[in-house]
Amino acid sequence: MTRKAIAVLLMAVLGLTGLTACSSQTASEEVAAADNAGEESDAQETEEAADTGKTEILLWHVMSGDRLEQLEVIVDGFNASQDQYEVVAEAQGEYDEANAKFLNMAGGEGSPAIMQIGDQHIQAMYDSGLVENISDMMEKYQYDSSQLLAQAVDFYTVEGSLYAMPFNCSSPVVYYNVEALKNAGLDTPPDTFEGIIEAASAIAEANEGMKAFSITSWGYLLDQLLTNSGYPIVNNDNGRSARATEAAYQEGLLRFYQFIQDLIEADGFENYGESDDDINAGFNNGDIAMFITTSAWATSIMDSAPFEVGIAGIPHFADCEPQGVYAGGGAFVMSKDLPEDVQAGAFEFLAYAASSEVQAVWAANTGYYPVNQGAYETETMKTLYEEQPMMKIAADQLLNGQQNSITAGPLVTTLVQIRDDMMAGAELVFNGGDPQEAVNMAVESTNQQLEMANAQ
Amino acid sequence: MKKYSLALLYAVLILLAVLMVFPLLFTILLSLSDNADIMNGQYWPQVLHFENYAEAFTKANLLYYMKNSVIVAAVTTFCQVALALLAAYAIVFIPFRGSGIVFGLFMSGMMIPMDVLMITNFQTINAAGLLNTYAGIILPCIGSAFGIFLLRQNMKQIPLELKEASDIAGVGQFYFFRKVVVPLSKNSIITLAVYCFLVSWNNYLWPLIATTKDEVRTIQIGLRMLSASDTQQDFRLVAAATMIVTIPTLILMFFGQSRLQEGLTKGALK
Amino acid sequence: MIKMENIAKSYDGNTMVIRDIGLEIKKGEFFVLLGPSGCGKSTLLRMIAGLEEITAGDLWIDGRHANELLPKERNLSMVFQNYALFPHMTVRDNILFGLDARKVAKKEQDERLNKVAEIMGLAEYLKRKPAQLSGGQRQRVALARSICSQTPICLMDEPLSNLDAKLRGQMRGEIRRIQRMLGLTIVYVTHDQVEAMTMGDRIMVLNEGCVQQIGEPLTVYNDPENLQVATFIGMPQMNIFRARAEQEGLRLNGSLILRRCGGQPCPAPAEECIVGIRAEHFRRGNESTGYVLEAKAAMVEYTGDETQISFENGQGYSVVKWPGQIPAEAGEALTLGVDAEHLYFFDKDTGHRIRQDGGRSQ
């Protein structure tokens, strides 16, 4: 190819994308464009929509790898199930990146109709005023919300209304090496932190070179552990009765850090920092007998370990009544003030994605819990639980938990930072730091960030 | 004594070389392994799984993203080098009031990390309607304080007499720029181009932020799509895709290395 | 061809590096700007070239007021001290540099190139790069470029200072030959008085930004206007003494005495002044009609064709230079004669030449 030809080609490519940008109007305009089929032929998508006469619903998500494939199954399934709407899924990196981008675009051109958020972003979404009240939508489109998992609904409820449609739900569980525990005379992991300390030496003695327990410093795991022992994360009933203004996790976090300190003293703890992959590899390698991470990993952990893996609920402090966990994970929010047909299509997709059959398949192939109660009655789930009873144990922890402000989970705009603060403290303690000091540091940072965020 | 210190030097160099090469070799090993083996700490593959590469290629649609990356990196590089050349030329060869201040401004720009500007750049690009375009990805990256600095250092080595001789000979600025400055800055230009191409090729965050659709997204984002969210990593696939993505940069480094070294140290030492 | 009036230069607005320079250079003249380093001669040249701004005064080139003209509008060429050759271009391209921009036809360029290459003896090096040439060859290329531009005025800034002595001597003649052949007007900057004396039609001696003297080489040598010119020109340097008029003659540096012979009058124009005597103006023995100096040889040096003897003068050493190989030994008593016309008197404060009745004057 001559140099000139390349230059022309380059110009053409640049020009074309420029046109695409100019013509990527809001969805309603695209529908209008669809009516004038043929006139707009520069943008591929518009062309597609024009051919099929479908309304385009833009969906932003943060799934990748295997999860992306599973999400595509759902999107394709929805698109094939009806001929009015076409959901176009676009990946946007990670939860925090996608969230920042969504807020920055502030509903402008190119904003999605539906976006997947992480549990940590629900308050920020609500505060932004950019997302639709899902409870209102449910009423408008006559959706029966009682079919949804109550715990998940609780979590995404702000001021009495649901602001996100639960989608990918998970919580932390204990994974254990069945044989190693058996060697130490245990059928299941101890229910309590105290029990773990007691069992530490037995496990070490019965298994050469193995330590009893580990956990990463991931803040999400820590606040779920506090929840299970009945400790709130922030004040004002975890932000449920009024806007959270300061940290309330002091007592619970101190006890947890002290537990880690005691366990280190009992030589029952292995430090993997914040790496989930490292802790998983250590577990598979027989370096630790138990560890805690999200249930979303269940399938892959069980598949990759060269020994039998057990799953159990997370421990609590001996003097606390176990409360269960909150329904973490992710959910879909819907942009506010969408054109009527886009809104209708978007809601139809949300309903589809949360339907019992879809949730059952999604859960079975990923390790998330179904957010639709009906899903647990489907053949898919029944078969799964029959084949892998451990998966049911994980779900039961959530399903059988209490329903109160503690297990509704923390509602606070700085949840991301709070988890970071807890993580920083945990790293300190993992490396031999003083628990009280670690808690003080975390609380100071949390309160400062919260004050700043609330002042805005 | 001399022999002894030479041996020490080589020992240090070998150690550094091993440190540098290890991640690459480890990635190659992982890319040929089975994921279950990796998770069990088996890093030396029993069977070589070359099919990982084919899988990575198809699963992540690498070719599509690679095309975008080539366009973005090539245009970014061209624009950045051209702009830096002109700016450096003006600073070195055209005396004007406040040229020192202008250069100082450029240099202070070097101290502001790109990440700080991410949000403002996004707002600019968004307001200009350049979201999801090559222009949107490229434009914020074509001004390079480092490039201006590097080329300025090089141009300062060119005797001012040459410019004066040109002035007297009656040739214009652009003639002198084209016929004298550019050929004499060749090494630095190649250095900058290689460096810029690599940076652009490896850029992940900005192309992700500047796009909401797959159309113009670059290879690093494609790579990220392979890396799992909320679950165990499929290391063999990520490693295989990483290797594929790394190959162009390795080729570039291989051919550009000597000049890159020369160009970078030239500016630094003199 | 080039005319300056009250030209001055200042970089910071306060200190003048060049002051009040006026001169006129004629067409076809070889004009030398001579002075010690830092005297402002290069700055003056660069002002003519248009590479430096003129702070005050007026410059005319070829009848045009040139203060504001761009270098390329002044229709001149310049040879730089370090030659300013383009290292990445061949000798050919270096010589022809800029002719494209001046819209000289290709054919014309080739003709000029061939002619110049022949004159300069560069024909076989045209395809080489400057790095493959010797210093003298590079010098020729720089010169060739200047000639090729066919501008009537050529400015040269210490063009020979990077060459060794032998080559320098050779190039001096060559530049002079070409200048005559082509009728060029050359303004030549140097700190080397030999170059100035041998090449220049006229010399301007500069010191600390001020004109000391303008004139033909021999005039400047024989009839210096002031102490600075007198001591700057001439090898070895003119012998300088602080003189006081006394009964028997002149007391030099408070120690030696320059005695009058016969009925010579007291030569000193003032009771105290400075007297200068060139080394070659001392005569052997008292065969002088003027004055006699008794001294003691401190050192005797033979260069083969001449003999230099130095003697103590009370504040250092003075030098006597005679042609041929004169037998002498250190410690030997010397009787030196000087003619009255070879005594240069200068004001002891200002250094200005004090001319005496009957003395030479311009």
Side-chain angles (χ1 to χ4, degrees):
Chain A
M1 196 158 20
T2 65
R3 227 190 305 182
K4 202 172 171 188
I6 294 174
V8 170
L9 195 73
L10 212 63
M11 298 274 285
V13 172
L14 283 173
L16 198 65
T17 51
L19 285 170
T20 316
C22 296
S23 61
S24 66
Q25 313 105 324
T26 57
S28 69
E29 282 171 299
E30 283 191 15
V31 179
D35 294 337
N36 310 320
E39 280 184 28
E40 294 253 359
S41 60
D42 51 349
Q44 209 186 354
E45 263 166 45
T46 314
E47 204 174 0
E48 227 170 71
D51 284 343
T52 56
K54 289 182 179 180
T55 301
E56 187 186 287
I57 316 286
L58 190 57
L59 165 72
W60 282 9
H61 67 87
V62 294
M63 299 281 96
S64 59
D66 292 342
R67 299 291 146 97
L68 175 55
E69 287 170 32
Q70 294 305 322
L71 179 69
E72 277 167 356
V73 168
I74 296 177
V75 170
D76 293 346
F78 175 74
N79 287 340
S81 72
Q82 40 73 45
D83 52 11
Q84 246 183 306
Y85 311 109
E86 173 91 20
V87 168
V88 177
E90 299 283 357
Q92 304 299 335
E94 295 182 37
Y95 284 121
D96 294 349
E97 292 160 359
N99 186 61
K101 196 189 285 185
F102 180 82
L103 293 179
N104 255 302
M105 288 184 63
E109 225 176 75
S111 289
I114 305 169
M115 187 178 77
Q116 187 184 21
I117 62 161
D119 53 32
Q120 65 269 37
H121 292 125
I122 181 65
Q123 175 86 57
M125 279 295 147
Y126 171 79
D127 290 349
S128 75
L130 294 171
V131 298
E132 201 68 71
N133 181 327
I134 298 289
S135 294
D136 289 353
M137 289 294 111
M138 287 172 168
E139 209 167 305
K140 181 172 174 183
Y141 295 102
Q142 293 159 351
Y143 180 86
D144 175 16
S145 64
S146 67
Q147 60 184 293
L148 294 175
L149 203 61
Q151 288 84 348
V153 171
D154 281 353
F155 185 88
Y156 294 105
T157 295
V158 187
E159 310 224 330
S161 289
L162 193 58
Y163 275 88
M165 186 67 131
F167 174 63
N168 50 320
C169 179
S170 62
S171 63
V173 291
V174 174
Y175 296 91
Y176 63 96
N177 184 327
V178 174
E179 199 189 318
L181 257 59
K182 203 172 278 171
N183 291 344
L186 295 165
D187 288 335
T188 55
D191 293 341
T192 62
F193 291 112
E194 290 80 355
I196 292 174
I197 295 173
E198 273 167 34
S201 56
I203 290 171
E205 273 164 33
N207 302 283
E208 174 88 35
M210 185 183 284
K211 289 188 177 174
F213 176 84
S214 187
I215 184 171
T216 65
S217 56
W218 187 15
Y220 168 67
L221 303 180
L222 307 191
D223 64 42
Q224 286 277 28
L225 285 171
L226 299 197
T227 299
N228 191 32
S229 283
Y231 291 106
I233 307 303
V234 285
N235 68 350
N236 293 332
D237 297 321
N238 251 348
R240 296 290 167 177
S241 62
R243 201 179 179 85
T245 57
E246 56 186 35
Y249 57 70
Q250 290 87 330
E251 192 189 339
L253 194 62
L254 180 62
R255 291 192 71 179
F256 174 72
Y257 286 169
Q258 277 164 348
F259 154 72
I260 294 291
Q261 194 183 36
D262 294 345
L263 194 60
I264 292 171
E265 243 162 64
D267 203 21
F269 181 80
E270 183 71 41
N271 180 5
Y272 291 101
E274 56 171 307
S275 170
D276 281 308
D277 291 316
D278 287 356
I279 206 171
N280 194 177
F283 180 67
N284 286 359
N285 219 17
D287 297 335
I288 44 171
M290 303 176 267
F291 77 105
I292 295 177
T293 195
T294 171
S295 59
W297 282 53
T299 319
S300 52
I301 289 173
M302 289 195 290
D303 284 354
S304 69
F307 47 78
E308 194 188 338
V309 177
I311 295 178
I314 55 176
H316 54 90
F317 294 106
D319 56 350
C320 299
E321 188 69 21
Q323 305 285 310
V325 290
Y326 66 79
F332 287 127
V333 292
M334 193 202 271
S335 283
K336 217 172 181 163
D337 302 328
L338 292 172
E340 200 59 28
D341 55 343
V342 177
Q343 188 191 68
F347 191 81
E348 199 169 323
F349 176 77
L350 294 191
Y352 176 84
S355 66
S356 54
E357 267 308 322
V358 171
Q359 277 291 314
V361 174
W362 168 247
N365 287 327
T366 56
Y368 291 116
Y369 310 134
V371 298
N372 190 305
Q373 293 179 1
Y376 293 90
E377 306 307 321
T378 59
E379 281 307 308
T380 314
M381 286 313 280
K382 280 182 179 163
T383 319
L384 176 75
Y385 286 159
E386 235 163 70
E387 284 172 2
Q388 299 187 330
M390 289 299 164
M391 299 288 271
K392 182 154 172 35
I393 295 174
D396 283 348
Q397 178 181 227
L398 177 70
L399 299 175
N400 299 338
Q402 316 258 350
Q403 263 187 273
N404 53 36
S405 68
I406 301 289
T407 56
L411 178 63
V412 52
T413 101
T414 60
L415 190 51
V416 180
Q417 286 96 329
I418 289 176
R419 287 175 179 170
D420 282 349
D421 295 337
M422 290 181 163
M423 177 189 244
E427 298 276 359
L428 203 70
V429 176
F430 286 180
N431 290 301
D434 177 48
Q436 185 63 54
E437 225 170 82
V439 171
N440 292 348
M441 196 181 76
V443 169
E444 193 186 335
S445 163
T446 296
N447 287 344
Q448 221 166 36
Q449 307 242 27
L450 199 47
E451 194 182 334
M452 257 163 55
N454 282 340
Q456 275 173 6
Chain B
M1 199 61 209
K2 206 175 171 192
K3 231 177 199 172
Y4 184 73
S5 66
L6 200 67
L8 191 74
L9 178 70
Y10 272 95
V12 171
L13 286 178
I14 288 168
L15 183 75
L16 288 176
V18 168
L19 283 177
M20 290 300 292
V21 169
F22 176 74
L24 189 67
L25 294 181
F26 191 55
T27 309
I28 293 174
L29 276 185
L30 292 187
S31 72
L32 295 171
S33 297
D34 182 73
N35 210 47
D37 285 349
I38 296 170
M39 288 316 293
N40 295 327
Q42 273 286 343
Y43 299 132
W44 200 265
Q46 257 78 40
V47 189
L48 296 181
H49 295 268
F50 285 105
E51 70 276 11
N52 289 347
Y53 281 83
E55 197 182 335
F57 231 100
T58 48
K59 219 172 183 178
N61 205 0
L62 287 183
L63 214 57
Y64 177 83
Y65 289 116
M66 217 176 247
K67 178 205 79 184
N68 283 339
S69 263
V70 167
I71 292 173
V72 167
V75 176
T76 305
T77 303
F78 177 81
C79 294
Q80 197 182 101
V81 170
L83 277 180
L85 262 174
L86 292 170
Y89 178 85
I91 289 166
V92 174
F93 289 107
I94 305 178
F96 60 94
R97 210 177 294 260
S99 78
I101 295 170
V102 169
F103 182 65
L105 274 176
F106 283 151
M107 284 307 98
S108 58
M110 221 163 129
M111 303 181 186
I112 304 171
M114 178 77 178
D115 311 64
V116 176
L117 303 172
M118 216 61 101
I119 302 282
T120 16
N121 278 342
F122 174 78
Q123 285 164 345
T124 311
I125 292 298
N126 190 18
L130 293 175
L131 224 50
N132 293 319
T133 61
Y134 287 120
I137 302 178
I138 292 167
L139 278 178
C141 303
I142 60 175
S144 158
F146 168 73
I148 294 171
F149 178 72
L150 185 78
L151 293 178
R152 170 186 174 268
Q153 293 307 98
N154 187 287
M155 286 183 197
K156 283 187 81 119
Q157 314 291 327
I158 299 174
L160 205 58
E161 278 187 355
L162 295 189
K163 170 77 169 105
E164 291 173 347
S166 302
D167 284 346
I168 290 172
V171 305
Q173 300 277 13
F174 197 68
Y175 187 94
F176 177 67
F177 173 74
R178 206 160 43 90
K179 292 271 184 166
V180 180
V181 175
V182 170
L184 288 181
S185 307
K186 203 169 63 188
N187 274 351
S188 288
I189 291 171
I190 291 172
T191 304
L192 181 62
V194 170
Y195 173 80
C196 174
F197 192 91
L198 291 182
V199 168
S200 183
W201 184 268
N202 290 333
N203 201 355
Y204 164 70
L205 196 52
W206 174 248
L208 174 69
I209 288 177
T211 55
T212 61
K213 300 176 181 181
D214 268 341
E215 281 163 46
V216 297
R217 281 184 171 169
T218 54
I219 188 79
Q220 302 298 339
I221 302 173
L223 195 56
R224 178 63 183 77
M225 293 296 145
L226 268 183
S227 154
S229 55
D230 277 7
T231 187
Q232 198 178 64
Q233 213 56 263
D234 195 350
F235 284 110
R236 54 164 192 117
L237 213 57
V238 174
T242 304
M243 282 314 298
I244 295 170
V245 171
T246 311
I247 286 166
T249 62
L250 287 180
I251 292 172
L252 209 57
M253 285 301 285
F254 185 75
F255 286 111
Q257 193 187 31
S258 56
R259 292 200 191 242
L260 199 65
Q261 261 172 4
E262 204 176 320
L264 283 174
T265 49
K266 209 176 193 175
L269 291 177
K270 283 183 188 169
Chain C
M1 199 71 183
I2 298 172
K3 197 171 134 199
M4 294 185 205
E5 274 178 12
N6 308 105
I7 290 279
K9 174 74 187 177
S10 171
Y11 286 104
D12 57 5
N14 296 320
T15 15
M16 291 289 174
V17 291
I18 281 180
R19 261 167 300 184
D20 194 26
I21 290 192
L23 72 96
E24 199 169 347
I25 298 167
K26 293 187 277 292
K27 191 169 161 49
E29 187 172 25
F30 197 117
F31 192 86
V32 179
L33 300 180
L34 177 68
S37 55
C39 72
K41 56 190 188 301
S42 280
T43 307
L44 187 62
L45 189 78
R46 291 166 59 80
M47 283 158 85
I48 299 174
L51 299 174
E52 299 277 357
E53 260 179 66
I54 296 169
T55 310
D58 293 292
L59 171 71
W60 281 271
I61 294 175
D62 212 1
R64 283 192 301 168
H65 192 255
N67 283 40
E68 305 296 332
L69 290 183
L70 291 174
K72 62 174 176 180
E73 294 165 340
R74 301 187 182 205
N75 201 17
L76 42 77
S77 61
M78 184 158 170
V79 177
F80 292 83
Q81 184 171 4
N82 296 315
Y83 317 141
L85 299 183
F86 302 103
H88 60 296
M89 294 184 188
T90 61
V91 166
R92 182 197 140 89
D93 290 343
N94 261 292
I95 293 176
L96 294 177
F97 185 83
L99 293 188
D100 284 339
R102 292 209 158 159
K103 305 246 156 58
V104 178
K106 275 269 172 281
K107 207 178 139 204
E108 163 88 14
Q109 287 188 20
D110 284 338
E111 278 169 17
R112 287 193 198 179
L113 178 71
N114 291 338
K115 199 171 138 204
V116 169
E118 199 184 326
I119 297 174
M120 302 301 301
L122 287 170
E124 50 190 306
Y125 305 113
L126 290 179
K127 290 213 171 67
R128 294 205 190 166
K129 297 266 174 75
Q132 297 164 301
L133 300 178
S134 70
Q137 287 164 337
R138 283 182 220 175
Q139 173 60 57
R140 276 169 219 259
V141 175
L143 218 56
R145 178 164 71 199
S146 184
I147 293 165
C148 230
S149 71
Q150 293 197 351
T151 50
I153 300 171
C154 177
L155 309 178
M156 298 192 179
D157 190 1
E158 310 231 15
L160 303 184
S161 61
N162 288 343
L163 302 181
D164 62 47
K166 197 177 154 207
L167 254 172
R168 220 180 299 160
Q170 206 179 320
M171 286 304 291
R172 284 204 301 260
E174 215 157 320
I175 293 175
R176 192 77 171 110
R177 177 174 63 88
I178 290 164
Q179 183 254 341
R180 293 234 170 89
M181 183 169 78
L182 302 175
L184 291 171
T185 307
I186 288 183
V187 183
Y188 188 103
V189 162
T190 183
H191 66 274
D192 181 340
Q193 50 163 310
V194 180
E195 283 176 25
M197 295 297 290
T198 56
M199 298 169 85
D201 289 324
R202 277 196 302 156
I203 297 174
M204 174 166 107
V205 184
L206 260 176
N207 193 31
E208 288 174 357
C210 295
V211 179
Q212 304 297 321
Q213 188 168 0
I214 300 176
E216 285 168 21
L218 286 181
T219 313
V220 174
Y221 183 88
N222 291 334
D223 195 11
E225 296 271 5
N226 57 35
L227 193 56
Q228 257 141 358
V229 177
T231 52
F232 190 74
I233 294 184
M235 274 295 284
Q237 202 180 340
M238 180 186 275
N239 298 304
I240 299 297
F241 310 93
R242 293 162 47 77
R244 171 186 280 275
E246 284 183 9
Q247 192 69 51
E248 328 154 50
L250 283 172
R251 180 69 70 185
L252 302 181
N253 291 347
S255 85
L256 299 173
I257 186 129
L258 191 62
R259 263 186 295 109
R260 289 180 273 144
C261 296
Q264 289 285 343
C266 180
E271 199 178 333
E272 275 185 70
C273 62
I274 290 170
V275 64
I277 307 168
R278 290 208 187 272
E280 70 270 25
H281 287 155
F282 285 109
R283 290 169 191 270
R284 288 173 66 197
N286 49 7
E287 51 192 69
S288 160
T289 51
Y291 303 86
V292 169
L293 182 68
E294 302 286 351
K296 201 163 88 180
M299 193 166 65
V300 182
E301 290 170 306
Y302 299 101
T303 58
D305 61 338
E306 45 181 58
T307 307
Q308 282 192 17
I309 303 169
S310 51
F311 61 89
E312 239 242 289
N313 65 18
Q315 273 178 11
Y317 293 90
S318 296
V319 181
V320 176
K321 185 171 85 177
W322 290 315
Q325 300 170 358
I326 312 297
E329 265 177 58
E332 193 179 289
L334 288 174
T335 306
L336 304 170
V338 187
D339 293 337
E341 60 182 40
H342 289 140
L343 292 179
Y344 297 88
F345 292 100
F346 304 96
D347 186 284
K348 74 177 167 64
D349 297 318
T350 62
H352 287 313
R353 177 84 178 275
I354 306 168
R355 294 178 202 280
Q356 297 197 265
D357 297 337
R360 263 176 238 255
S361 65
Q362 278 179 298

